[in-house]
Amino acid sequence: MRAKKDELLAHSLLFSGLPREQVEKIAEIAVTKRYGKGASIFFEGDPGIGFFMVASGKVKIFKTSFDGKEQILHIFGPGEPFGEVPVFHGNPFPANAEALSECEVLFFPRAEFVGLITGNPSLALNMLAVLALRLRRFATQVENLSLKEVPGRLAAYLQYLMEEQQRQDRVVLDIPKGQLASLLGTSSETLSRIFNKMSEEGLIRVEGKTIFILDSERLKER
C-alpha cells in the first residue's frame, strides 16, 4: 500500500515535480480512508481539520438549498485533491463531500501538512497553482450557470470533457446523467430532452455513456 500511495502522490497534480524525499514525507502523514457509495466524507460546516485526495473512485462536492435541492459544484477522481482550502485558514468546510462510488481517499491532517509546507516552499507553490486552477474552474461554472441556457451549459461541459479526455470525436460520461443534470443546474428530464434535440440536430450521437461529437464547431456555438 505504501508503494501505491507514493506513486499516487508523485503523479498527482498537487505533488508532481516534488523530490522523492518530499513525496515520502507527505506519504507518511497521509491516512487512508475508505467509503462506500453514498457515504458522506464531510458536511458543510464541519471543522476543516485537514484535506483529502481521491485514491480510487469518485467524490462529489455539493451544496444543498433550504428546500433540499442539490447543486453539485465539482466531481473529483483519482489524484485530485478536495477540501484543501481550510488548510490555509482553518475555517469549516464550505460544502459537502460524498462518495459517488466505492472509493478510497487519503486524508492529510492540517497541522502536519502545514508543517511540511513551512519547510518546503515548492509544495506551497504547487498548492497555489492547484487552487488557482480550481478558482478558474468555478468561475467558468458560475458563468455557465448564470449566463448560459442549459443547452449551452451542456455544450460547454462536453467541450471540457473533450479537453480532459484528449479526444475530438467522442467523450465518455464519467458520472450518471442524473448527477450531470445536478452539475449543470437542471433536471434529468430537461437534460434528456436536450440530449435528444442535439442528436436530432446532428450535433451529437448518444450511445450509453459515450457521446459522439458529430459537429464540434456548431456545438461551440450553443
Side-chain angles (χ1 to χ4, degrees):
M1 179 59 196
R2 175 56 189 270
K4 178 183 176 182
K5 187 188 296 186
D6 287 1
E7 182 179 358
L8 173 71
L9 296 177
H11 290 88
S12 68
L13 181 63
L14 191 56
F15 303 124
S16 63
L18 294 180
R20 182 177 180 83
E21 58 270 19
Q22 289 187 21
V23 173
E24 291 176 348
K25 289 180 180 179
I26 296 167
E28 288 176 1
I29 70 168
V31 179
T32 301
K33 295 177 178 287
R34 295 176 177 83
Y35 297 90
K37 181 179 180 180
S40 295
I41 299 174
F42 57 75
F43 294 99
E44 180 177 356
D46 283 352
I49 58 174
F51 75 101
F52 302 80
M53 177 179 290
V54 181
S56 64
K58 290 188 177 298
V59 172
K60 69 174 179 180
I61 306 298
F62 66 99
K63 293 181 76 73
T64 305
S65 65
F66 288 112
D67 59 1
K69 183 179 179 181
E70 179 183 290
Q71 173 62 58
I72 294 179
L73 303 177
H74 203 84
I75 292 175
F76 296 109
E80 293 187 292
F82 63 97
E84 69 274 25
V85 173
V87 168
F88 291 98
H89 57 51
N91 287 349
F93 290 114
N96 309 285
E98 180 181 300
L100 276 177
S101 61
E102 284 194 9
C103 68
E104 184 176 275
V105 304
L106 300 180
F107 172 70
F108 302 89
R110 180 174 183 266
E112 288 87 339
F113 192 78
V114 168
L116 289 179
I117 288 181
T118 302
N120 299 283
S122 56
L123 179 54
L125 289 175
N126 274 28
M127 286 209 74
L128 288 174
V130 169
L131 290 173
L133 176 62
R134 189 72 43 77
L135 180 61
R136 186 171 63 186
R137 286 181 180 177
F138 279 129
T140 300
Q141 184 178 16
V142 169
E143 179 183 357
N144 288 339
L145 290 174
S146 59
L147 301 180
K148 294 184 178 180
E149 298 297 328
V150 180
R153 298 176 206 167
L154 175 58
Y157 185 74
L158 293 177
Q159 292 168 46
Y160 162 75
L161 287 181
M162 290 168 65
E163 294 177 6
E164 186 179 63
Q165 298 176 11
Q166 297 182 342
R167 294 175 175 176
Q168 295 298 319
D169 63 338
R170 75 188 69 183
V171 296
V172 178
L173 296 180
D174 54 358
I175 56 175
K177 290 180 181 177
Q179 299 284 353
L180 177 58
S182 177
L183 182 64
L184 299 179
T186 188
S187 66
S188 297
E189 294 77 12
T190 298
L191 183 62
S192 293
R193 287 197 296 270
I194 294 171
F195 268 123
N196 290 335
K197 185 174 182 180
M198 285 186 171
S199 297
E200 293 171 357
E201 293 175 349
L203 300 178
I204 61 174
R205 186 174 79 252
V206 182
E207 294 186 7
K209 292 185 177 182
T210 302
I211 311 298
F212 291 89
I213 310 301
L214 305 180
D215 194 331
S216 59
E217 291 302 318
R218 286 172 58 206
L219 189 64
K220 292 178 182 178
E221 297 173 358
R222 296 307 296 260

